[in-house]
């Protein structure tokens, strides 16, 4: 007989998510998500159930990714691309039968005009945005080779396959299948080069952005939802040593969702 599944639950502060949390709390024994395994300690979580939308799922993954515990989302938000359908019934059975997908985040290393360095992780994308009315001027280097000496644009982003359906897709770039080992390099409203649509790169590629006039044309860098303002350089690579496991019901697997997005 298999041991009972230890389930932790985190919920967004919306009314829908909080109501769902109360319902699950009444039906199941929930363990503390903050409790860590030490020796034979009991009641440490085997899985984190996330109640909310995609934005809250991103927050939860950032907060708890270091725990190396799978995430099983149930949609209590709007789009719910990273979530399963909400239902409190047979929760442990659904989790045990779920299919897993491993995500590797992007690592963003950036420096601002004051010489301060920041290192952040991004599950969806790293984005650069102009901070003023003037367009940004950015040099783009891929694997130590300058590919775009000077791009004039509102910004630029690097997206993971999981994040390619989000801002990357809205910017007109292609959606990337999960197992393609590709990341997307996508300009945002480029003025020069006028017809450049971006590039698809090997997931092991390193990308560096240099802000060419950071005082006159200030630029911010954003890793998912964490912003660093007035940056002068941004280096990005996939962080293979960090793995995030997402669980999906067989009929709602992430690979199929990404394929469907390309035909909508």
């Amino acid at each position: 007989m298999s041991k009972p599944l230890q389930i932790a639950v985190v919920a967004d502060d919306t009314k829908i998510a909080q109501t769902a949390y109360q319902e699950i709390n009444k039906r199941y024994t929930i363990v503390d998500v903050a409790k860590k395994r030490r020796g034979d300690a009991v009641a440490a979580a085997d899985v984190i159930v996330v109640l909310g939308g995609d934005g809250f799922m991103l927050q939860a993954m950032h907060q708890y990714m270091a725990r190396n515990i799978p995430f099983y989302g149930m949609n209590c938000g709007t789009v719910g691309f990273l979530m399963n359908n909400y239902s409190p019934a047979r929760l442990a059975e659904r989790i045990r039968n779920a299919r897993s997908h491993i995500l590797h985040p992007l690592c963003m290393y950036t420096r601002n005009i004051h010489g301060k360095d920041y290192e952040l992780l991004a599950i969806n994308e790293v984005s650069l945005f102009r901070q003023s009315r003037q367009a940004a001027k950015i040099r783009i280097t891929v694997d130590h080779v300058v590919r775009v000496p000077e791009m004039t644009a509102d910004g630029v982003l690097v997206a993971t396959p999981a994040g390619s359906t989000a801002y990357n897709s809205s910017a007109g770039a292609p959606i990337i299948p999960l197992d393609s080992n590709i990341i997307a390099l996508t300009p945002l409203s480029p003025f020069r080069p006028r017809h450049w649509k971006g590039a698809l790169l090997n997931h092991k590629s390193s990308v560096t952005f240099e802000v060419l006039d950071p005082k006159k044309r200030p630029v911010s860098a954003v890793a998912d939802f964490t912003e660093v303002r007035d940056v002068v350089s941004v280096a990005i690579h996939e962080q293979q040593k960090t793995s995030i496991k997402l669980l999906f019901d067989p009929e709602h697997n992430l690979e199929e969702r990404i394929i469907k997005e390309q035909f909508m």
Side-chain angles (χ1 to χ4, degrees), residues 12-21 51 75-77 86:
D12 200 355
D13 57 7
T14 64
K15 183 178 180 179
I16 295 175
Q18 287 299 314
T19 300
Y21 178 84
L51 304 174
N75 189 22
C76 297
Y86 174 74

Side-chain angles (χ1 to χ4, degrees), residues 25-252:
N25 195 36
K26 289 178 182 177
R27 299 180 64 156
Y28 302 96
T29 300
I30 296 174
V31 302
D32 185 357
V33 69
K35 190 175 182 63
K36 297 181 179 179
R37 296 184 188 278
R38 290 189 177 88
D40 296 325
V42 297
D46 296 312
V47 62
I48 300 174
V49 172
V50 182
L51 304 174
D54 287 339
F56 186 70
M57 173 60 93
L58 277 177
Q59 293 179 40
M61 288 191 288
H62 275 277
Q63 185 171 357
Y64 299 113
M65 72 170 77
R67 298 288 307 279
N68 294 318
I69 301 173
F71 296 87
Y72 181 87
M74 287 201 288
N75 189 22
C76 297
T78 50
V79 178
F81 188 81
L82 298 174
M83 319 299 281
N84 299 285
N85 292 332
Y86 174 74
S87 173
R90 301 182 297 104
L91 182 56
E93 181 182 346
R94 288 175 66 187
I95 292 171
R96 291 188 189 278
N97 292 332
R99 295 178 181 176
S100 65
H101 289 286
I102 303 298
L103 305 180
H104 298 292
L106 299 172
C107 179
M108 177 184 86
Y109 179 83
T110 186
R111 175 171 292 172
N112 67 11
I113 59 174
H114 307 293
K116 187 172 182 180
D117 297 328
Y118 299 84
E119 187 172 350
L120 299 165
L121 295 180
I123 298 165
N124 267 5
E125 75 266 322
V126 172
S127 308
L128 272 65
F129 301 102
R130 64 185 177 107
Q131 291 177 202
S132 69
R133 61 180 177 82
Q134 290 187 301
K137 289 194 174 184
I138 299 169
R139 177 177 295 124
I140 302 173
T141 301
V142 178
D143 293 331
H144 310 291
V145 177
V146 176
R147 297 297 184 182
V148 182
E150 182 177 300
M151 180 190 70
T152 304
D154 283 349
V156 64
L157 64 83
V158 176
T160 66
S164 69
T165 62
Y167 195 2
N168 175 74
S169 179
S170 297
I175 293 171
I176 305 170
L178 272 182
D179 59 356
S180 61
N181 292 326
I182 287 173
I183 56 176
L185 171 60
T186 304
L188 303 175
S189 301
F191 179 68
R192 291 284 189 276
R194 186 177 295 277
H195 300 294
W196 186 56
K197 300 298 183 181
L200 297 177
L201 307 174
N202 185 282
H203 70 117
K204 294 182 179 180
S205 296
S206 62
V207 180
T208 302
F209 300 124
E210 298 172 76
V211 181
L212 299 181
D213 198 348
K215 292 185 177 179
K216 183 179 179 182
R217 300 171 183 267
V219 171
S220 65
V222 182
D224 284 345
F225 43 73
T226 304
E227 181 182 24
V228 180
R229 295 180 67 83
D230 299 313
V231 300
V232 295
S233 64
V234 178
I236 302 162
H237 68 273
E238 185 182 73
Q239 183 143 304
Q240 280 284 324
K241 68 179 181 180
T242 301
S243 298
I244 303 167
K245 181 182 286 188
L246 287 183
L247 301 178
F248 292 91
D249 296 330
E251 67 273 20
H252 293 290

